[in-house]
Amino acid sequence: MHYDLIIRGGRCVFPWGEAEADIGVRNGKVASLSVSGTDEADRVIDARGLHVLPGLIDAHVHLRDPGKPEVETLETGTRAAALGGIATVFDMPNTSPSITDVTMIDWKRDHIRKTAHVDVGMYVGATRENTPDLAMLEQQPGVCAVKVFAGSSTGNLMIEDDAGLEAVMRSGHRRVAYHSEDEYRLQARKPMFHEGQPYETHSVWRDVECAFLGTRRIMALARKTNRPAHILHVSTAEELEYLAEYRDISTVEVLVNHLTQVAPECYEKLGGLAVMNPPLRDRPHWEASWKAVRDGRVDVVSSDHAPHPLEAKQLPWPKCPAGLTGTQTIVPVMLDHVNAGRLSLSRLVDLMAAGPARVYGLHTKGRMAVGFDADFTLVDMKAEREITNDWIVSPAGWTPFDGTRVTGWPMATIVRGTVVMQDNEVPGAPTGQPAKFAP
C-alpha cells in the first residue's frame, strides 16, 4: 500500500499505552498504525530511537499580531512553536486592534492561512460592547473560546464586575477561558507600592488572595449560570484545592513557568525577566502545582508566551511589562521534567495534547488514532541541550530559560502530514491552517 508519509520504528505514545509502531499518513490524516514492511510512501521518516507523540498543543500564546511586529508576529511565533515541537497554538485576542468582532476574526483567519507554520486557534475577546454577540462569535470558524480578562488588561478588554461576567456567561454555551485575578483588589492595593521596589514585589501586590478571590467569584457565577469555565494560569495552592470541588463545571490550566521557576530565587536571578501575571510564587505553591499535576486536577499545561522588548523588561518595577516568551521552550522544559521523574511522558501528552483537545473541543487532534489529523511531535528523550537566547526566533530575542540545560529535545514537528520542522530547521513555506473546533 502507498502512503504520503510513513513514520517507522518510533516508540509511540498512544492513549492506551506506549508501543513501537509504523504509522501511515494519507491526505493529512492518520491512515494506519500498523504499516507493513513492504508498504511505501512519498516520504519515510526513520524514528528509531525517538518517541512519537501526538502533535503537542500550546493552548495559550500571545503572538501580538496585529500590532507589535517588533516583538512577535504570527509567522515568527508559529515558527518558534514549530521549532519547539508544538503543532497547534491558541492565540489570545489582546492585539491592536483586538480580536472582538467578525471583521477581525475573518482577517485573522486569512492571515493564519498566509503566514502560520502550525495550526492556530483564535480566542475572541469579550467586551461589554460585544457581549450580546458572543454566542455568534464563539461559533465562527477557527475560534477556540471566548477569553475574559477579569483583571489585568487594557482598553475595553476587561470585564471585572459580577453583572458583566454573568452577562458573558449567559451569551453562548461553549467553555469560557478566564484570567481570574480580581481587578478591585489589584487597584485597591496598588497605592501600597512604589517604583523601584524589588521585582519580587510583583508577587506581593498580586498576592494569593487576588487570584483566589477572582477564581471564587467566577466559579460562583459559573454555578449560577451553568456555564463551563476554564481557569487559565492557576498559580496558587488555594485555587487548586478549591477547584477540585468544581470539576463538573471547571477545567484548569497551569503554566510551565509555575512548574519550573520558584520565588524569590527567580526574581533574584532574572529581575524583570521573571515578571508575569499571575506572578511566579514561592515553593509551597510550586509543590502544590506539581501535586495537582500528579493527581489529575490539572487539565492543560501551556506557556502563556507573551513577548516584550528586552529593554522594556529591564525597566524598574513596576514599569517593566508582565509577560515572558515560552512557546519555543515549553516542550524541552517539560521533557526535562519527565526525565527528572516529576511526571510521565504519557501524562505530558495528556496535558499538552489530549487535555487541550478535550477542553476546547478540538475533536481531530490530541491523540494518535486512525482518522485523526496527522500531527506528531518526535522527541529524543536522551538528547542533552542548552537553551540559549540565540536559538529564540521571536524578534524579542530572549528567554527566561537562557543557559538552562535540559535532557529531552524535539526533533521533528509534523502538522497534518507536513513536516514543518526537522532537526532544528523549518524547511518550507507556511502551511498552517485555522484549527477546527466542535460547535
Side-chain angles (χ1 to χ4, degrees), residues 82-101:
L83 283 166
I86 296 294
T88 303
V89 297
F90 298 168
D91 191 26
M92 287 293 174
N94 54 332
T95 50
S96 182
S98 54
I99 310 301
T100 57
D101 57 33

Side-chain angles (χ1 to χ4, degrees), residues 28-79:
K29 301 288 186 180
V30 177
S32 175
L33 301 178
S34 55
V35 171
S36 75
T38 59
D39 289 338
E40 298 178 340
D42 297 337
R43 181 170 185 175
V44 177
I45 293 178
D46 182 355
R48 287 175 295 180
L50 303 179
H51 281 77
V52 181
L53 318 180
L56 297 180
I57 299 166
D58 189 351
H60 188 161
V61 302
H62 299 258
L63 299 187
R64 310 300 195 199
D65 197 347
K68 292 186 177 179
E70 69 277 10
V71 293
E72 199 67 282
T73 66
L74 261 167
E75 194 281 328
T76 58
T78 56
R79 179 183 291 270

